[in-house]
Amino acid sequence: RRENKTIEIMESIKKPDVLITEGTRVNEDTSRSEIDVESEVQEFSSKSKGLTICNWPIRDVDRMTSFLNAAKKLDKILTINLKQAYLLEQLSKFNSSTIKVDDKNIALYAMKKGWGLIGKDYEERLIHQDYDKWERDYLEKCIHHKHLKNQQNKYMFFCSNFDLKEIIDLKPVKGSAYIKSVCEPFDLEMEIDWQRIENWINHFGLI
C-alpha cells in the first residue's frame, strides 16, 4: 500500500551488506498487493448474511485501511477497538496514518471487561471503573454488543483471537462471515490456537 515509501527506504540505505526481512510467501512465485486483499475482503463480506467478523494484526494500519476501504464500498461500518483508536490518534500526530478515528465508516467498539457491565443498566461511574483510565475517555464515543446484535449486516467487526468471547453476546446469525487476515500457524501453540478458533467458527455457523 505504501509502495513509494518502500522505494524511498530502499534507496536511502544505499547498498547494504545484508538485508534481513520477513516474508509470508517465501515459497510462492506470485504475490498479492493490499489492493488485492481489499478486493477479496469486499467480495467475501458481501456474501455474509449477517455480521462480518474480521481479524488482522492489531497494529497493522495498512491492513486496517484495506478493511476500511472494503467497508466503505459495501456501505458498512468497520469497528475497531480502543487500542487501535489510541494508535491512530498517536500516528495522526506525525501524519503517519490516512485513517481518522472520526471517519463516518469507523465505530469505536468497547469490549466487555472483567465486570461485564457495559450494555447493561448500571451507573456510568461503575461502568467506567471497569476500564483502564486511558480507555475511559473513549467510552462516550463507543458502541457495544447491543448496537451490533440487531443490525449485524451493517457492521464489519474487528475481533482478535483474544476477544472471541465477545461473539457470545453478539450472537451472529447463521451465515455470518469470519475473515482471517493474519499469518498461518507456524508452531504447535499457534496450531492449537487455530483449532480453538475453528471451534468458534463451527459453533456459530460462520462461513
Side-chain angles (χ1 to χ4, degrees), residues 47-127:
K47 298 175 182 178
S48 174
K49 296 179 180 178
L51 187 65
T52 301
I53 300 169
C54 313
N55 186 12
W56 68 83
I58 189 170
R59 292 183 294 274
D60 189 341
V61 179
D62 289 332
R63 185 57 49 86
M64 187 192 301
T65 301
S66 296
F67 276 86
L68 177 59
N69 289 346
K72 289 181 176 181
K73 291 173 183 176
L74 294 169
D75 196 25
K76 294 190 177 188
I77 295 174
L78 179 69
T79 74
I80 61 174
N81 66 27
L82 305 189
K83 288 182 179 178
Q84 291 170 314
Y86 180 82
L87 172 65
L88 292 177
E89 287 189 345
Q90 297 307 305
L91 289 175
S92 68
K93 297 177 181 179
F94 303 95
N95 296 319
S96 297
S97 173
T98 57
I99 304 178
K100 305 300 181 185
V101 175
D102 59 358
D103 189 298
K104 68 182 181 66
N105 287 89
I106 285 182
L108 305 189
Y109 185 94
M111 301 282 180
K112 288 178 73 173
K113 298 296 283 277
W115 298 349
L117 303 183
I118 196 160
K120 297 181 180 179
D121 190 21
Y122 285 94
E123 293 180 31
E124 184 178 288
R125 173 181 60 85
L126 291 175
I127 294 174

Coordinates of all heavy atoms in Angstrom, one line a residue, residues 47-127:
K47 N -20.9 -11.6 0.8 CA -21.6 -12.8 0.9 C -22.1 -13.1 2.2 O -22.9 -14.1 2.4 CB -20.7 -14.0 0.4 CG -20.2 -13.9 -1.0 CD -19.2 -15.0 -1.3 CE -18.6 -14.8 -2.8 NZ -17.6 -15.8 -3.1
S48 N -21.7 -12.3 3.2 CA -22.2 -12.6 4.6 C -23.7 -12.3 4.7 O -24.2 -11.3 4.2 CB -21.4 -11.7 5.6 OG -21.9 -11.8 6.9
K49 N -24.4 -13.2 5.4 CA -25.8 -13.0 5.7 C -26.1 -12.2 7.0 O -27.2 -12.0 7.3 CB -26.5 -14.3 5.7 CG -26.5 -15.0 4.3 CD -27.2 -16.4 4.4 CE -27.1 -17.1 3.0 NZ -27.7 -18.4 3.1
G50 N -25.0 -11.9 7.6 CA -25.1 -11.2 8.9 C -23.9 -10.4 9.2 O -23.4 -9.6 8.4
L51 N -23.3 -10.7 10.3 CA -22.1 -10.0 10.8 C -20.9 -10.5 10.0 O -20.8 -11.7 9.7 CB -21.9 -10.2 12.3 CG -20.8 -9.4 13.0 CD1 -21.1 -7.9 13.0 CD2 -20.7 -9.9 14.5
T52 N -19.9 -9.6 9.7 CA -18.6 -10.0 9.2 C -17.6 -9.8 10.3 O -17.4 -8.6 10.8 CB -18.2 -9.1 8.0 OG1 -19.2 -9.3 6.9 CG2 -16.8 -9.6 7.5
I53 N -17.0 -10.8 10.8 CA -16.0 -10.8 11.9 C -14.7 -10.8 11.2 O -14.4 -11.7 10.4 CB -16.2 -12.0 12.8 CG1 -17.6 -12.0 13.4 CG2 -15.2 -12.0 13.9 CD1 -18.0 -13.2 14.2
C54 N -13.8 -9.9 11.6 CA -12.5 -9.7 10.9 C -11.4 -9.8 11.9 O -11.5 -9.3 13.0 CB -12.5 -8.3 10.2 SG -13.9 -7.8 9.3
N55 N -10.3 -10.4 11.5 CA -9.1 -10.5 12.3 C -7.9 -10.2 11.4 O -7.6 -10.8 10.4 CB -9.0 -11.9 12.9 CG -7.8 -12.0 13.9 OD1 -7.3 -11.0 14.3 ND2 -7.5 -13.2 14.3
W56 N -7.2 -9.1 11.8 CA -5.9 -8.8 11.2 C -5.0 -8.3 12.3 O -5.4 -8.1 13.4 CB -6.1 -7.7 10.1 CG -6.5 -6.3 10.7 CD1 -5.6 -5.4 11.2 CD2 -7.8 -5.7 10.8 NE1 -6.3 -4.2 11.6 CE2 -7.7 -4.5 11.4 CE3 -9.1 -6.2 10.5 CZ2 -8.7 -3.6 11.7 CZ3 -10.2 -5.4 10.8 CH2 -10.0 -4.1 11.3
P57 N -3.6 -8.3 12.0 CA -2.7 -7.9 13.1 C -3.1 -6.5 13.7 O -3.3 -5.5 12.9 CB -1.4 -7.8 12.4 CG -1.5 -8.8 11.2 CD -2.9 -8.7 10.8
I58 N -3.3 -6.5 15.0 CA -3.9 -5.3 15.6 C -3.3 -4.0 15.3 O -3.9 -3.0 15.2 CB -4.0 -5.6 17.1 CG1 -4.9 -4.5 17.8 CG2 -2.6 -5.6 17.8 CD1 -5.2 -4.8 19.3
R59 N -2.0 -4.0 15.1 CA -1.3 -2.7 14.8 C -1.0 -2.5 13.3 O -0.3 -1.5 13.0 CB 0.1 -2.7 15.6 CG -0.2 -2.6 17.1 CD 1.2 -2.5 17.9 NE 1.9 -3.7 17.7 CZ 1.8 -4.7 18.5 NH1 0.9 -4.7 19.5 NH2 2.6 -5.8 18.3
D60 N -1.5 -3.3 12.5 CA -1.2 -3.2 11.0 C -2.2 -2.2 10.4 O -3.3 -2.5 10.0 CB -1.3 -4.5 10.4 CG -0.9 -4.5 8.9 OD1 -0.8 -3.4 8.3 OD2 -0.6 -5.6 8.4
V61 N -1.8 -0.9 10.4 CA -2.7 0.1 9.9 C -3.0 0.0 8.4 O -4.1 0.4 7.9 CB -2.1 1.5 10.2 CG1 -3.0 2.6 9.7 CG2 -1.9 1.7 11.7
D62 N -2.0 -0.5 7.6 CA -2.2 -0.7 6.2 C -3.3 -1.7 5.9 O -4.1 -1.5 5.1 CB -0.9 -1.1 5.5 CG 0.1 0.0 5.5 OD1 -0.3 1.2 5.5 OD2 1.3 -0.2 5.4
R63 N -3.3 -2.8 6.7 CA -4.3 -3.8 6.6 C -5.6 -3.3 7.1 O -6.7 -3.6 6.5 CB -3.9 -5.1 7.3 CG -4.8 -6.3 7.2 CD -5.0 -6.7 5.7 NE -3.8 -6.8 4.9 CZ -3.1 -8.0 4.9 NH1 -3.5 -9.0 5.5 NH2 -2.0 -8.0 4.1
M64 N -5.6 -2.5 8.1 CA -6.8 -1.9 8.6 C -7.4 -1.0 7.5 O -8.7 -1.0 7.3 CB -6.6 -1.0 9.8 CG -7.8 -0.4 10.5 SD -7.5 0.9 11.7 CE -6.5 0.0 12.9
T65 N -6.6 -0.3 6.7 CA -7.1 0.5 5.6 C -7.8 -0.3 4.6 O -8.8 0.1 4.0 CB -5.9 1.3 5.0 OG1 -5.2 2.1 6.0 CG2 -6.3 2.1 3.8
S66 N -7.2 -1.5 4.3 CA -7.9 -2.4 3.3 C -9.3 -2.8 3.8 O -10.2 -2.8 3.0 CB -7.0 -3.7 3.1 OG -5.7 -3.3 2.6
F67 N -9.4 -3.1 5.0 CA -10.7 -3.5 5.6 C -11.7 -2.3 5.6 O -12.9 -2.4 5.3 CB -10.6 -4.1 7.0 CG -10.3 -5.5 7.0 CD1 -9.0 -6.0 6.9 CD2 -11.3 -6.5 7.1 CE1 -8.7 -7.3 6.9 CE2 -11.0 -7.8 7.1 CZ -9.7 -8.2 7.0
L68 N -11.1 -1.1 5.9 CA -12.0 0.1 5.9 C -12.5 0.4 4.5 O -13.6 0.8 4.3 CB -11.2 1.3 6.5 CG -11.9 2.6 6.5 CD1 -13.2 2.6 7.3 CD2 -11.0 3.7 7.1
N69 N -11.6 0.4 3.5 CA -12.0 0.7 2.2 C -13.1 -0.3 1.7 O -14.0 0.1 1.0 CB -10.8 0.6 1.2 CG -9.8 1.8 1.4 OD1 -10.2 2.8 2.1 ND2 -8.6 1.7 0.9
A70 N -12.9 -1.6 2.0 CA -13.9 -2.6 1.7 C -15.2 -2.3 2.3 O -16.3 -2.4 1.7 CB -13.4 -4.0 2.1
A71 N -15.2 -1.8 3.6 CA -16.4 -1.5 4.3 C -17.1 -0.3 3.6 O -18.3 -0.3 3.5 CB -16.1 -1.1 5.8
K72 N -16.3 0.7 3.2 CA -16.9 1.8 2.5 C -17.6 1.4 1.2 O -18.7 1.9 0.9 CB -15.8 2.9 2.2 CG -15.3 3.6 3.5 CD -14.3 4.6 3.2 CE -13.9 5.4 4.4 NZ -12.8 6.4 4.2
K73 N -17.0 0.5 0.5 CA -17.6 0.1 -0.8 C -18.9 -0.7 -0.6 O -19.7 -0.7 -1.5 CB -16.6 -0.7 -1.6 CG -15.4 0.1 -2.1 CD -14.3 -0.8 -2.7 CE -13.1 0.0 -3.1 NZ -12.0 -0.9 -3.7
L74 N -19.0 -1.3 0.6 CA -20.2 -2.1 0.9 C -21.2 -1.3 1.7 O -22.2 -1.8 2.1 CB -19.8 -3.4 1.7 CG -18.9 -4.4 0.9 CD1 -18.4 -5.5 1.8 CD2 -19.8 -5.0 -0.2
D75 N -20.8 0.0 2.0 CA -21.7 0.8 2.8 C -21.9 0.2 4.2 O -23.0 0.2 4.8 CB -23.0 1.1 2.2 CG -23.8 2.3 2.8 OD1 -23.1 3.1 3.4 OD2 -25.0 2.3 2.8
K76 N -20.8 -0.3 4.8 CA -20.8 -0.9 6.1 C -19.9 -0.1 7.0 O -19.1 0.8 6.6 CB -20.3 -2.3 6.1 CG -21.2 -3.3 5.3 CD -20.8 -4.7 5.6 CE -21.8 -5.7 4.9 NZ -21.5 -7.1 5.2
I77 N -20.0 -0.4 8.3 CA -19.2 0.3 9.3 C -18.2 -0.7 9.9 O -18.5 -1.8 10.3 CB -20.1 0.9 10.4 CG1 -21.0 2.0 9.9 CG2 -19.2 1.4 11.6 CD1 -22.0 2.5 10.9
L78 N -16.9 -0.3 9.9 CA -15.9 -1.1 10.5 C -15.7 -0.7 12.0 O -15.4 0.5 12.3 CB -14.6 -0.9 9.7 CG -13.3 -1.7 10.2 CD1 -13.5 -3.2 9.9 CD2 -12.1 -1.2 9.5
T79 N -15.8 -1.7 12.8 CA -15.5 -1.4 14.3 C -14.0 -1.7 14.6 O -13.4 -2.6 14.0 CB -16.4 -2.3 15.2 OG1 -15.9 -3.6 15.2 CG2 -17.8 -2.2 14.8
I80 N -13.4 -0.8 15.4 CA -12.1 -1.0 15.9 C -12.1 -0.9 17.4 O -13.0 -0.3 17.9 CB -11.1 0.0 15.3 CG1 -11.4 1.4 15.6 CG2 -11.0 -0.2 13.8 CD1 -10.4 2.5 15.2
N81 N -11.1 -1.5 18.0 CA -11.1 -1.5 19.5 C -10.4 -0.2 20.0 O -9.9 0.6 19.2 CB -10.5 -2.8 20.1 CG -9.1 -3.0 19.8 OD1 -8.3 -2.0 19.5 ND2 -8.6 -4.2 19.8
L82 N -10.3 -0.1 21.3 CA -9.8 1.2 21.9 C -8.3 1.3 21.7 O -7.8 2.4 21.5 CB -10.2 1.2 23.4 CG -11.7 1.1 23.7 CD1 -12.0 1.4 25.1 CD2 -12.5 2.0 22.7
K83 N -7.6 0.2 21.7 CA -6.1 0.2 21.5 C -5.9 0.7 20.1 O -4.9 1.5 19.9 CB -5.5 -1.1 21.7 CG -5.5 -1.6 23.2 CD -4.8 -2.9 23.3 CE -4.7 -3.4 24.7 NZ -4.1 -4.7 24.9
Q84 N -6.6 0.3 19.1 CA -6.5 0.8 17.7 C -6.8 2.2 17.6 O -6.1 3.0 16.9 CB -7.3 -0.1 16.8 CG -6.8 -1.5 16.7 CD -7.8 -2.4 16.0 OE1 -9.0 -2.4 16.2 NE2 -7.3 -3.2 15.0
A85 N -7.8 2.7 18.3 CA -8.2 4.1 18.3 C -7.0 4.9 18.8 O -6.7 6.0 18.3 CB -9.5 4.3 19.1
Y86 N -6.5 4.5 19.9 CA -5.3 5.2 20.5 C -4.1 5.2 19.6 O -3.5 6.3 19.4 CB -4.9 4.5 21.8 CG -3.8 5.2 22.5 CD1 -4.0 6.3 23.3 CD2 -2.5 4.7 22.4 CE1 -2.9 7.0 24.0 CE2 -1.4 5.3 23.0 CZ -1.6 6.5 23.8 OH -0.6 7.1 24.4
L87 N -3.9 4.1 18.9 CA -2.8 4.0 17.9 C -3.0 5.0 16.8 O -2.1 5.8 16.4 CB -2.7 2.6 17.4 CG -1.7 2.4 16.2 CD1 -0.3 2.7 16.7 CD2 -1.8 1.0 15.6
L88 N -4.2 5.1 16.3 CA -4.5 6.0 15.2 C -4.3 7.5 15.6 O -3.8 8.3 14.8 CB -5.9 5.8 14.6 CG -6.1 4.5 13.9 CD1 -7.6 4.4 13.5 CD2 -5.3 4.3 12.7
E89 N -4.7 7.8 16.8 CA -4.6 9.2 17.3 C -3.1 9.5 17.4 O -2.7 10.7 17.1 CB -5.3 9.3 18.6 CG -6.8 9.4 18.4 CD -7.6 9.7 19.7 OE1 -6.9 9.7 20.8 OE2 -8.7 10.1 19.6
Q90 N -2.3 8.6 17.9 CA -0.9 8.9 18.0 C -0.2 9.0 16.7 O 0.6 9.9 16.5 CB -0.2 7.8 18.9 CG -0.7 7.6 20.3 CD -0.6 8.9 21.1 OE1 0.4 9.6 21.1 NE2 -1.8 9.3 21.6
L91 N -0.5 8.2 15.7 CA 0.0 8.2 14.4 C -0.4 9.5 13.7 O 0.4 10.1 12.9 CB -0.4 7.0 13.6 CG 0.2 5.7 14.0 CD1 -0.4 4.6 13.1 CD2 1.7 5.7 13.8
S92 N -1.6 10.0 14.0 CA -2.0 11.2 13.3 C -1.2 12.4 13.7 O -1.1 13.4 12.9 CB -3.5 11.5 13.7 OG -3.6 11.8 15.0
K93 N -0.5 12.4 14.9 CA 0.3 13.5 15.3 C 1.6 13.6 14.4 O 2.2 14.7 14.3 CB 0.8 13.3 16.7 CG -0.4 13.3 17.7 CD 0.1 13.0 19.1 CE -1.1 13.0 20.1 NZ -0.6 12.7 21.5
F94 N 1.9 12.5 13.7 CA 3.1 12.5 12.9 C 2.7 12.3 11.4 O 3.6 12.0 10.6 CB 4.0 11.4 13.3 CG 4.5 11.5 14.7 CD1 3.8 10.8 15.7 CD2 5.5 12.3 15.1 CE1 4.1 10.9 17.1 CE2 5.9 12.4 16.4 CZ 5.2 11.7 17.4
N95 N 1.4 12.5 11.1 CA 0.9 12.3 9.7 C 1.3 11.0 9.2 O 1.6 10.8 8.0 CB 1.5 13.4 8.8 CG 1.0 14.8 9.2 OD1 -0.2 15.0 9.5 ND2 1.9 15.8 9.2
S96 N 1.3 9.9 10.0 CA 1.7 8.6 9.7 C 0.5 7.7 9.4 O 0.7 6.5 9.2 CB 2.6 8.0 10.7 OG 3.8 8.7 10.9
S97 N -0.7 8.2 9.3 CA -1.9 7.4 9.1 C -2.9 8.2 8.3 O -3.1 9.3 8.5 CB -2.5 6.8 10.3 OG -3.7 6.2 10.1
T98 N -3.5 7.5 7.3 CA -4.5 8.2 6.5 C -5.9 7.9 7.1 O -6.9 8.5 6.6 CB -4.5 7.7 5.1 OG1 -4.7 6.2 5.1 CG2 -3.2 8.0 4.4
I99 N -6.0 7.1 8.2 CA -7.2 6.8 8.8 C -7.5 7.8 9.9 O -6.6 8.0 10.8 CB -7.3 5.4 9.3 CG1 -6.9 4.4 8.2 CG2 -8.6 5.0 9.9 CD1 -6.9 2.9 8.7
K100 N -8.7 8.3 10.0 CA -9.1 9.2 11.1 C -10.1 8.5 12.0 O -11.0 7.8 11.4 CB -9.7 10.5 10.6 CG -8.8 11.3 9.6 CD -7.5 11.7 10.2 CE -6.6 12.5 9.2 NZ -5.3 12.8 9.8
V101 N -9.9 8.6 13.3 CA -10.8 7.9 14.2 C -12.3 8.3 14.0 O -13.2 7.5 14.2 CB -10.4 8.2 15.6 CG1 -11.4 7.6 16.6 CG2 -9.0 7.6 15.9
D102 N -12.5 9.6 13.6 CA -13.8 10.1 13.4 C -14.4 9.8 12.0 O -15.4 10.4 11.6 CB -13.9 11.6 13.7 CG -13.0 12.4 12.8 OD1 -12.3 11.8 12.0 OD2 -13.0 13.7 13.0
D103 N -13.8 9.0 11.2 CA -14.3 8.6 9.9 C -15.7 8.0 10.1 O -16.0 7.2 11.0 CB -13.4 7.5 9.3 CG -13.7 7.2 7.8 OD1 -14.8 6.7 7.6 OD2 -12.8 7.4 7.0
K104 N -16.6 8.4 9.2 CA -18.0 8.0 9.3 C -18.2 6.5 9.1 O -19.3 6.0 9.5 CB -18.9 8.8 8.3 CG -18.7 8.5 6.9 CD -19.6 9.3 6.0 CE -19.4 9.0 4.5 NZ -19.9 7.6 4.2
N105 N -17.2 5.8 8.6 CA -17.3 4.4 8.4 C -16.6 3.6 9.5 O -16.4 2.4 9.3 CB -16.8 3.9 7.0 CG -17.8 4.3 5.9 OD1 -17.7 5.4 5.3 ND2 -18.7 3.4 5.6
I106 N -16.2 4.3 10.5 CA -15.5 3.7 11.6 C -16.3 3.9 12.9 O -16.8 5.0 13.1 CB -14.1 4.2 11.9 CG1 -13.1 3.7 10.8 CG2 -13.5 3.9 13.2 CD1 -11.7 4.2 10.9
A107 N -16.4 2.8 13.7 CA -17.0 2.9 15.0 C -16.1 2.4 16.1 O -15.5 1.3 15.8 CB -18.4 2.2 15.0
L108 N -16.0 3.1 17.2 CA -15.1 2.5 18.3 C -16.0 1.5 19.1 O -17.1 1.8 19.4 CB -14.7 3.7 19.2 CG -13.9 4.8 18.6 CD1 -13.3 5.7 19.6 CD2 -12.8 4.3 17.7
Y109 N -15.4 0.4 19.3 CA -16.2 -0.7 19.9 C -15.5 -1.0 21.3 O -14.3 -1.3 21.4 CB -16.2 -2.0 19.1 CG -17.1 -3.1 19.6 CD1 -18.4 -3.2 19.3 CD2 -16.5 -4.0 20.6 CE1 -19.2 -4.2 19.8 CE2 -17.3 -5.0 21.1 CZ -18.6 -5.1 20.7 OH -19.4 -6.1 21.2
A110 N -16.3 -1.0 22.3 CA -15.8 -1.3 23.7 C -16.2 -2.8 24.0 O -17.3 -3.1 24.1 CB -16.5 -0.4 24.7
M111 N -15.1 -3.6 24.1 CA -15.3 -5.0 24.5 C -15.7 -5.0 26.0 O -15.4 -4.1 26.8 CB -14.0 -5.7 24.3 CG -13.4 -5.7 22.9 SD -14.2 -6.9 21.9 CE -13.3 -6.6 20.3
K112 N -16.4 -6.1 26.3 CA -16.7 -6.3 27.7 C -15.5 -6.6 28.5 O -14.6 -7.3 28.1 CB -17.7 -7.5 27.9 CG -19.1 -7.2 27.4 CD -20.0 -8.5 27.5 CE -20.4 -8.7 28.9 NZ -21.4 -9.8 29.0
K113 N -15.4 -6.0 29.7 CA -14.2 -6.2 30.5 C -14.6 -7.1 31.7 O -15.6 -7.8 31.6 CB -13.8 -4.8 31.1 CG -13.3 -3.9 30.0 CD -12.1 -4.4 29.3 CE -10.8 -4.2 30.0 NZ -10.1 -2.9 29.9
G114 N -13.8 -7.1 32.7 CA -13.9 -8.1 33.8 C -15.3 -8.2 34.4 O -15.8 -9.3 34.7
W115 N -15.9 -7.0 34.7 CA -17.2 -7.0 35.4 C -18.3 -7.2 34.4 O -19.4 -7.5 34.8 CB -17.4 -5.7 36.1 CG -16.4 -5.4 37.2 CD1 -15.5 -6.3 37.7 CD2 -16.2 -4.2 37.9 NE1 -14.7 -5.7 38.7 CE2 -15.1 -4.3 38.8 CE3 -16.8 -2.9 37.8 CZ2 -14.7 -3.3 39.6 CZ3 -16.3 -1.9 38.6 CH2 -15.3 -2.1 39.5
G116 N -18.1 -7.0 33.1 CA -19.1 -7.2 32.1 C -20.3 -6.3 32.2 O -21.4 -6.7 32.0
L117 N -20.1 -5.0 32.6 CA -21.2 -4.1 32.9 C -21.7 -3.4 31.6 O -22.8 -2.9 31.6 CB -20.8 -3.1 34.0 CG -20.3 -3.7 35.3 CD1 -20.1 -2.5 36.3 CD2 -21.4 -4.6 35.9
I118 N -20.8 -3.2 30.6 CA -21.2 -2.4 29.5 C -22.4 -3.0 28.8 O -22.5 -4.2 28.6 CB -20.0 -2.1 28.6 CG1 -20.3 -0.9 27.6 CG2 -19.7 -3.4 27.8 CD1 -19.1 -0.3 27.0
G119 N -23.3 -2.1 28.4 CA -24.5 -2.6 27.7 C -25.6 -3.0 28.7 O -26.7 -3.4 28.3
K120 N -25.4 -2.8 30.0 CA -26.4 -3.2 31.0 C -26.8 -1.9 31.8 O -26.1 -0.9 31.7 CB -25.8 -4.2 32.0 CG -25.5 -5.6 31.3 CD -25.1 -6.6 32.3 CE -24.8 -7.9 31.6 NZ -24.3 -8.9 32.5
D121 N -27.8 -2.0 32.5 CA -28.3 -0.8 33.2 C -27.6 -0.6 34.5 O -28.1 -0.8 35.6 CB -29.8 -1.0 33.5 CG -30.5 0.3 34.0 OD1 -29.9 1.3 33.7 OD2 -31.6 0.2 34.5
Y122 N -26.4 -0.1 34.4 CA -25.6 0.3 35.6 C -25.2 1.8 35.5 O -25.2 2.3 34.4 CB -24.3 -0.6 35.7 CG -24.6 -2.0 36.1 CD1 -24.8 -3.0 35.2 CD2 -24.6 -2.3 37.5 CE1 -25.0 -4.3 35.6 CE2 -24.9 -3.6 37.9 CZ -25.1 -4.6 37.0 OH -25.3 -5.9 37.4
E123 N -24.8 2.3 36.6 CA -24.4 3.7 36.6 C -23.1 3.8 35.8 O -22.3 2.9 35.7 CB -24.0 4.1 38.1 CG -25.2 4.2 39.0 CD -24.8 4.7 40.4 OE1 -23.8 5.5 40.5 OE2 -25.4 4.3 41.4
E124 N -23.1 5.0 35.1 CA -21.9 5.2 34.2 C -20.6 5.2 35.0 O -19.6 4.7 34.6 CB -22.0 6.6 33.6 CG -20.9 6.9 32.6 CD -21.1 8.3 31.9 OE1 -22.0 8.4 31.1 OE2 -20.4 9.2 32.3
R125 N -20.7 5.6 36.3 CA -19.5 5.6 37.1 C -18.9 4.2 37.3 O -17.7 4.0 37.3 CB -19.8 6.2 38.5 CG -18.8 6.1 39.6 CD -19.3 6.7 40.9 NE -20.4 6.0 41.4 CZ -20.3 4.9 42.1 NH1 -19.2 4.4 42.4 NH2 -21.4 4.3 42.5
L126 N -19.8 3.2 37.5 CA -19.4 1.9 37.7 C -18.9 1.2 36.4 O -17.9 0.5 36.4 CB -20.6 1.0 38.2 CG -21.0 1.3 39.7 CD1 -22.3 0.5 40.0 CD2 -19.9 1.0 40.7
I127 N -19.5 1.6 35.3 CA -19.1 1.0 34.0 C -17.7 1.5 33.7 O -16.8 0.8 33.3 CB -20.0 1.5 32.9 CG1 -21.4 0.8 33.1 CG2 -19.5 1.1 31.5 CD1 -22.5 1.2 32.2

